[in-house]
Amino acid sequence: MNPITQDQDHWLKDYGWAQRGGAWNEDTDVLLVGTVASGAPGADALNAWVAQQDKSQGRVDGVEREIFYAGGVRGYLETSEDGTALYLHSRGEDAFDSLSHYSGEVARFLRAQGCDTPLQWTEARHDRADRQLVWP
């Protein structure tokens, strides 16, 4: 992951990200990861937000899995002993706009659920070797 993180409600749009973390073009799978600490009440709220989204199939690192989609983002949720991570993928000309918009949607949903758990948003490198999502 890129060491650039933002600890606020949502990821503030940063077009400079296109110039960091490897080459970017409109076909690049751009990944933003929102995390909450283990045991934080935000985990349940993240699960509830994902449950409300439309579902489809995609391949992550070559493995077929269920993904959600909302507007210009696709993603999935993973829970570990460290916490819960929401993986938001986008690509195309508006990838960074879509990621900022939907990080805001997630944050508003969490706040509406009465959850004030801080979200940490992390920009993944464009040239990463893992977490590659392929969808139709």
Side-chain angles (χ1 to χ4, degrees):
M1 296 288 167
N2 192 316
I4 295 179
T5 59
Q6 298 179 9
D7 292 311
Q8 63 263 347
D9 274 349
H10 71 284
W11 179 73
L12 300 174
K13 195 176 344 184
D14 176 9
Y15 294 118
W17 182 10
Q19 306 304 315
R20 295 189 301 271
W24 175 84
N25 64 44
E26 291 179 7
D27 295 323
T28 301
D29 176 24
V30 180
L31 172 60
L32 181 67
V33 183
T35 55
V36 295
S38 181
D44 290 337
L46 285 174
N47 275 296
W49 185 83
V50 168
Q52 292 181 2
Q53 308 312 309
D54 291 323
K55 306 295 187 296
S56 181
Q57 291 298 116
R59 295 181 74 75
V60 179
D61 296 340
V63 177
E64 182 124 353
R65 68 178 296 166
E66 182 178 83
I67 60 170
F68 69 83
Y69 60 94
V73 298
R74 305 288 187 269
Y76 46 92
L77 193 66
E78 291 186 352
T79 302
S80 72
E81 57 187 49
D82 294 330
T84 300
L86 177 68
Y87 293 85
L88 296 178
H89 294 256
S90 191
R91 63 180 172 209
E93 190 174 298
D94 297 329
F96 302 100
D97 300 275
S98 294
L99 291 172
S100 181
H101 174 78
Y102 280 97
S103 72
E105 290 290 313
V106 168
R108 280 187 287 284
F109 182 85
L110 266 64
R111 302 308 169 244
Q113 302 299 309
C115 178
D116 61 356
T117 301
L119 288 165
Q120 182 180 55
W121 295 102
T122 303
E123 302 169 357
R125 292 185 57 87
H126 306 315
D127 61 358
R128 67 191 182 281
D130 63 347
R131 299 286 176 190
Q132 295 293 319
L133 173 61
V134 177
W135 67 89

